[in-house]
Amino acid sequence: MPTMTIVSCKIMQDEILWILENDPAINEIIIVDNENIGEFVKKLDRTNIIYKTLPLSNISPVCEAEKGFKYTVMIYLMELGLHRNPKKLKKNVYETVETLIPYSSGILLFYGLCGNVLGNVEKDFAASSLSCPVHILKDNKDRIVDDCIGATVGGVDNYLKILKKVSDAGTYLFTPMYSKGWKELLDINGRLHGDPDQALQMMKKTHEMIGYKRVAKIDTGLAYTENFDDAIKEFAEIFDFEILELNGGDQKIFEDCYQQLKAKIKA
């Protein structure tokens, strides 16, 4: 049967869960075992989604002739924080795609431009498109989204509206997973010789210098990540930020891109 592979930063694991929970045509779910899946599989268990966790070495390559209405979805999660080094992010994503092509009928990247390093990924893998098309998240005008926030809020136009709305002061935009993973994303424990307290103090001073004053809570409509409100409040208290609540988050881009690739690999 065909296999769609989703390669994603951990920050978008809730959106993957929503896809898996809402597609009855999925026959099998495989989670590629690595150091990034711990929180994700706990959520799968809480949601009662049936899956297998396997190392890549135990997964069989896809037979090109296999087609059908039931199919496999394979998930490969990548580490948070790669965006801090765009060249490394591109290198790791490209190497991962190359590794997964033999095991996939199609690959969907739950990524955006991410510092303008992934804008040519579909073109760069066009040679493999006959056997394994590679797609990235795009909005309804066929534009690659800027990043995970851009995908969550529906694409380029709405993202620009939100950024304009908060342009009077520096503002963090937090989805549920962002609120739980910000320390890892910003490498708090790795800064200043591994002193997180000093790193937080340095961040406070930086915020004061460049005018960061608030954190915006983006309601995605998903509840897989627990204690969203508490995590937002904790972040705001640490940095003396005000909290702004924003609506408009949804799964439309994820769903549309998923369905487009699904139709292609099952044709």
Side-chain angles (χ1 to χ4, degrees):
M1 68 188 83
T3 296
M4 184 197 296
T5 297
I6 297 176
V7 177
S8 177
C9 172
K10 285 198 299 182
I11 205 74
M12 295 199 209
Q13 61 182 252
D14 288 359
E15 288 72 21
I16 297 173
L17 276 161
W18 186 85
I19 291 286
L20 298 179
E21 191 175 23
N22 288 279
D23 186 357
I26 298 173
N27 186 59
E28 181 181 45
I29 297 169
I30 297 174
I31 314 300
V32 180
D33 193 12
N34 62 28
E35 67 276 10
N36 302 312
I37 68 170
E39 183 178 13
F40 183 60
V41 296
K42 289 179 182 177
K43 291 178 180 179
L44 287 168
D45 291 338
R46 288 203 302 267
T47 315
N48 296 317
I49 293 176
I50 299 172
Y51 64 94
K52 295 179 182 177
T53 302
L54 296 172
L56 195 60
S57 59
N58 287 6
I59 299 171
S60 300
V62 165
C63 174
E64 191 173 335
E66 290 179 340
K67 299 290 180 180
F69 291 102
K70 290 286 187 178
Y71 72 109
T72 296
V73 174
M74 182 165 67
I75 308 299
Y76 190 102
L77 291 184
M78 301 187 68
E79 65 185 277
L80 293 181
L82 284 173
H83 70 286
R84 292 194 302 268
N85 186 334
K87 288 183 179 179
K88 182 180 179 183
L89 184 150
K90 180 178 180 179
K91 178 177 182 290
N92 286 20
V93 169
Y94 273 54
E95 288 178 350
T96 300
V97 170
E98 289 172 356
T99 298
L100 293 173
I101 282 174
Y103 304 91
S104 311
S105 307
I107 295 176
L108 177 56
L109 299 176
F110 269 33
Y111 278 95
L113 292 171
C114 297
N116 293 319
V117 297
L118 295 178
N120 292 322
V121 67
E122 292 186 356
K123 184 190 302 181
D124 290 339
F125 285 97
S128 67
S129 63
L130 293 178
S131 61
C132 180
V134 176
H135 288 193
I136 192 168
L137 294 173
K138 295 180 179 180
D139 65 16
N140 61 3
K141 295 183 180 178
D142 203 38
R143 298 170 296 189
I144 299 175
V145 299
D146 291 277
D147 50 31
C148 58
I149 302 296
T152 299
V153 300
V156 177
D157 292 338
N158 200 38
Y159 198 13
L160 289 174
K161 289 179 183 177
I162 289 173
L163 292 176
K164 185 176 181 180
K165 182 176 182 179
V166 300
S167 62
D168 60 311
T171 304
Y172 283 92
L173 303 176
F174 274 15
T175 60
M177 272 301 299
Y178 233 105
S179 75
K180 299 298 286 294
W182 67 269
K183 289 183 179 179
E184 186 177 354
L185 280 162
L186 300 176
D187 193 28
I188 296 301
N189 293 329
R191 293 185 179 187
L192 296 177
H193 308 290
D195 189 330
D197 291 332
Q198 284 193 25
L200 289 174
Q201 290 302 316
M202 182 63 71
M203 279 189 66
K204 287 183 181 180
K205 292 178 181 178
T206 302
H207 290 152
E208 292 171 2
M209 291 171 56
I210 62 179
Y212 267 74
K213 296 182 178 180
R214 62 185 168 222
V215 54
K217 174 188 173 185
I218 299 175
D219 183 5
T220 65
L222 302 179
Y224 301 113
T225 296
E226 299 175 330
N227 304 315
F228 185 18
D229 287 338
D230 291 341
I232 289 281
K233 289 176 183 176
E234 179 186 26
F235 181 83
E237 288 172 359
I238 289 173
F239 298 110
D240 298 319
F241 283 174
E242 66 173 290
I243 298 173
L244 176 66
E245 299 208 11
L246 296 176
N247 295 318
D250 59 38
Q251 286 67 59
K252 181 169 176 51
I253 282 181
F254 303 98
E255 171 72 4
D256 288 350
C257 293
Y258 173 81
Q259 292 295 345
Q260 288 165 14
L261 182 55
K262 177 181 173 181
K264 182 176 289 188
I265 67 175
K266 291 172 64 178

